[in-house]
Amino acid sequence: MHDAVDASAVLDRATIDAPHPFYRALRERGPIHRVGATGVHLVVRWDAIEEALGREADFSANLTGVLIRAPGGEPAVFELPSTGATDVIATADEPAHGVHRGLLQPHLRDALVAALEPRLRTWARDAIDAFVARGGGDFAADVAELVPARTVVALLDLAESDVANVRRWAMMGGDMLAGDVDAARMATLGAETAKMAAFLGERLERARAELERAERERGDARAPASLAHVLARGARDGTVDATHAVGIALVLFGAAGESTASLVGNAARLLAEQPALAARLRAEPALVPRFVEEVVRLEPPFKGHYRAVRRACTLAGAALAPGDRLFLAWASANRDAAVVEAPDELRLDRRFPKRHMGFGRGSHFCIGAHLARLEGRVVVEELLARTSDVALDPARPPAYTHSMFVRRHDRLPLVVRAAAD
């Protein structure tokens, strides 16, 4: 069945704040739904998304256009120019995708990411100790955004003074795909992206000079010290060109910054809303990794990703035309009762806790998933260890950023009580 969804409902504030009833209704009607006359199709069932992911010949990962709000308020498509800086990692097709992934993956292996844990724990403790000393505050700003920003700074070997800019740019990363964005805002975002690209281009040039100085002075052929050095060496050696290297660094801002901030904030909110769950995790901290998986399943940091239709074809019985776009709704698939038992419940005893699409699926599975899981686990462990009670602030309600793409809190006011000494 390929029916049309009320286009205005897709970007409605109520839908974005509470997307799960909307997606549930769509799943009950069919696997794929047209968004008015935009040429965008929401793919909402697990099996249809999995099929689309296996058909790169029909569906390109290149980001060619996104939904925005037209001047009249209705959804429209903002066409994006094809540039080397945009078709990287998650938005690249083969063979480029494999090249980009192969460049980074050895440096995001389990052992190398685990080596970051001591620093992550220090950053989390510092932020949470200050938060608890105040009796709470905006967890999104004070903790959830800050720890991932410091992680990005460490991954790219940036200066401590860069944390503020990294944090701002990282949290801006998903705005271009938010949907509730007009053409003027898209122009502003484009200008900010250009500033980010220039900043990262300069950093990669410095990294290249650092590599060459080390090789010249010490004959040092060891592995690069940071992902900035990995990308600089890849560009120098011709594995990728300089534009792609900068584009990959840009992706890291959102992938390692905004998505992890989303995960950490969503975890804290669930703990605040379910005090019995928080008490159980304090008593059984070994369950925290399972909790993190359920957070990612129930509230994926990114609600979905786009695919561009390459040629006339069908998907789940729906006729598609070249130039159409699919929005693969991870947030919907993760609650598909055909695949997940009791999909709306948070369960810590699932037989296959990692069977979800919260980090994507298939060849484009999130390359930084292990790091995101580590950050989520560490922050949750430290928050639970340093508090005896976490609750929503009754005077200040939480609010999600208005985005059909990212599930991140704009604000998350919490009231906390320190753990007994």
Side-chain angles (χ1 to χ4, degrees):
M1 183 177 183
H2 188 210
D3 61 355
V5 62
D6 178 2
S8 62
V10 175
L11 301 181
D12 184 76
R13 168 67 72 177
T15 300
I16 286 175
D17 285 349
H20 305 303
F22 173 74
Y23 280 131
R24 184 186 309 115
L26 291 186
R27 286 195 304 274
E28 291 171 354
R29 286 163 48 187
I32 183 169
H33 304 268
R34 289 182 289 109
V35 180
T38 63
V40 174
H41 309 259
L42 305 180
V43 189
V44 297
R45 289 185 185 170
W46 180 289
D47 56 354
I49 292 176
E50 197 160 54
E51 179 184 345
L53 290 171
R55 291 171 53 186
E56 189 175 287
D58 293 325
F59 309 121
S60 168
N62 291 170
L63 189 60
T64 62
V66 298
L67 281 174
I68 64 167
R69 193 177 292 280
E74 72 281 1
V77 170
F78 186 89
E79 302 287 343
L80 294 171
S82 179
T83 70
T86 58
D87 299 336
V88 294
I89 299 287
T91 57
D93 294 323
E94 301 302 342
H97 170 257
V99 172
H100 302 166
R101 194 177 186 90
L103 185 64
L104 292 185
Q105 198 155 32
H107 306 279
L108 290 171
R109 293 196 314 268
D110 291 1
L112 296 179
V113 169
L116 276 173
E117 182 168 346
R119 281 191 287 171
L120 276 169
R121 202 166 287 280
T122 296
W123 300 329
R125 285 175 179 169
D126 289 348
I128 292 169
D129 280 345
F131 188 78
V132 172
R134 295 190 297 272
D138 183 357
F139 190 85
D142 296 341
V143 181
E145 295 178 5
L146 184 59
V147 174
R150 290 190 178 281
T151 303
V152 173
V153 166
L155 288 174
L156 292 171
D157 194 23
L158 303 174
E160 181 68 20
S161 59
D162 291 323
V163 169
N165 274 338
V166 168
R167 178 177 177 175
R168 179 173 63 86
W169 281 332
M171 298 312 121
M172 184 192 75
D175 285 0
M176 195 169 285
L177 292 88
D180 191 31
V181 180
D182 59 22
R185 175 62 177 159
M186 289 294 279
T188 299
L189 292 171
E192 283 296 312
T193 300
K195 292 178 184 177
M196 290 170 61
F199 169 80
L200 290 169
E202 291 174 2
R203 175 65 191 106
L204 296 190
E205 279 299 312
R206 291 200 310 274
R208 177 171 179 160
E210 290 160 5
L211 285 171
E212 291 176 348
R213 182 169 59 252
E215 292 170 353
R216 185 170 59 251
E217 294 177 356
R218 302 194 305 270
D220 193 346
R222 293 174 298 177
S226 72
L227 292 186
H229 296 93
V230 170
L231 293 170
R233 176 171 286 176
R236 186 196 65 179
D237 296 348
T239 304
V240 294
D241 61 31
T243 301
H244 282 135
V246 171
I248 293 169
L250 282 169
V251 169
L252 288 173
F253 268 60
E258 184 171 35
S259 66
T260 309
S262 301
L263 164 58
V264 170
N266 292 333
R269 181 169 182 169
L270 285 169
L271 294 173
E273 291 175 335
Q274 301 184 43
L277 171 65
R280 182 181 179 188
L281 292 172
R282 285 191 185 93
E284 302 179 73
L287 291 176
V288 169
R290 283 181 169 268
F291 169 66
V292 170
E293 292 301 326
E294 280 290 87
V295 174
V296 175
R297 183 186 67 80
L298 288 166
E299 300 288 3
F302 295 143
K303 299 178 192 176
H305 279 87
Y306 284 97
R307 291 293 186 272
V309 179
R310 296 177 183 267
R311 60 191 183 187
C313 62
T314 62
L315 175 66
L320 303 170
D324 281 358
R325 281 94 177 183
L326 307 178
F327 185 77
L328 307 181
W330 316 128
S332 178
N334 282 350
R335 297 190 184 219
D336 189 338
V339 176
V340 182
E341 182 181 1
D344 295 325
E345 296 180 14
L346 192 157
R347 291 188 174 181
L348 301 178
D349 61 351
R350 294 193 182 276
R351 184 178 180 187
F352 302 109
K354 293 183 179 180
R355 194 185 185 205
H356 58 74
M357 292 187 178
F359 290 118
R361 194 163 176 84
S363 63
H364 281 82
F365 181 81
C366 176
I367 196 171
H370 184 63
L371 177 58
R373 286 171 167 137
L374 173 63
E375 289 185 71
R377 174 175 63 80
V378 166
V379 172
V380 169
E381 288 172 348
E382 295 300 328
L383 178 63
L384 292 172
R386 282 163 163 66
T387 60
S388 60
D389 185 65
V390 178
L392 296 178
D393 186 338
R396 297 181 296 157
Y400 286 106
T401 189
H402 194 51
S403 171
M404 67 173 288
F405 174 66
V406 69
R407 187 66 163 168
R408 176 174 61 81
H409 284 88
D410 265 343
R411 65 177 185 272
L412 181 57
L414 300 181
V415 177
V416 299
R417 183 181 298 121
D421 292 335

